[in-house]
Amino acid sequence: VGCVGCVEVCGVCGMCMFAVSVCGVGDAKLIKNAGGLVISPFDSAMRSLLVAIYELDVREIMVIAHTECGACHMSFEAFREHILARGIDEKTLDTIQHCGIDLNKWLEGFHDTASSVRQTVDTIRRHPLVPTDVIVRGFIINSVTGQLEECR
């Protein structure tokens, strides 16, 4: 019996292998992004989840983060130096800010993995377009041992 589920995961290949091993090839719909976050009810990750619910008949969503994630403690200030070194100028950064994009918020990671998973689960559950019969759960997988623990 396969899963009719969707997995919102950090962009780590081990997460993909885990989902396939649990649900079977073709049964798990994977949505990957840095940190496995839904940072806004109307961001592209949430849009992809809604497409999975309504177009692919997903009935369960698993949010899976992992220990030692690079998105933990991520910040715009850490990126800024790299962005400027790669040839993007301050004027471009100013233009983005003037267009209403808060780069500090947009490129902010998280500081506690369990809290981040719970917040993402809550954002998905409370979304006005997510039906109440869709099960949404959050997990953290240990990057070393592969042990999966549910966040409640």
Side-chain angles (χ1 to χ4, degrees), residues 16-99:
C16 302
M17 295 308 297
F18 170 78
V20 169
S21 71
V22 170
C23 295
V25 176
D27 291 324
K29 287 44 170 174
L30 300 178
I31 298 169
K32 296 172 29 175
N33 68 11
L37 302 171
V38 174
I39 57 174
S40 161
F42 297 97
D43 70 8
S44 64
M46 192 65 229
R47 180 177 182 264
S48 294
L49 289 168
L50 291 169
V51 168
I53 290 167
Y54 291 106
E55 294 295 323
L56 304 174
D57 199 31
V58 160
R59 301 289 180 181
E60 181 168 1
I61 296 169
M62 297 172 66
V63 175
I64 305 177
H66 64 97
T67 58
E68 302 175 34
C69 182
C72 190
H73 306 294
M74 188 173 76
S75 71
F76 172 61
E77 287 309 313
F79 276 99
R80 180 185 205 88
E81 181 180 319
H82 298 293
I83 290 169
L84 295 172
R86 296 287 299 267
I88 308 300
D89 62 18
E90 285 285 347
K91 184 177 178 184
T92 300
L93 298 178
D94 290 342
T95 300
I96 293 169
Q97 295 279 14
H98 291 327
C99 289

Side-chain angles (χ1 to χ4, degrees), residues 129-148:
L129 298 177
V130 173
T132 57
D133 64 339
V134 172
I135 298 164
V136 184
R137 299 187 302 158
F139 300 87
I140 299 174
I141 190 168
N142 185 301
S143 298
V144 175
T145 67
Q147 181 178 352
L148 188 69

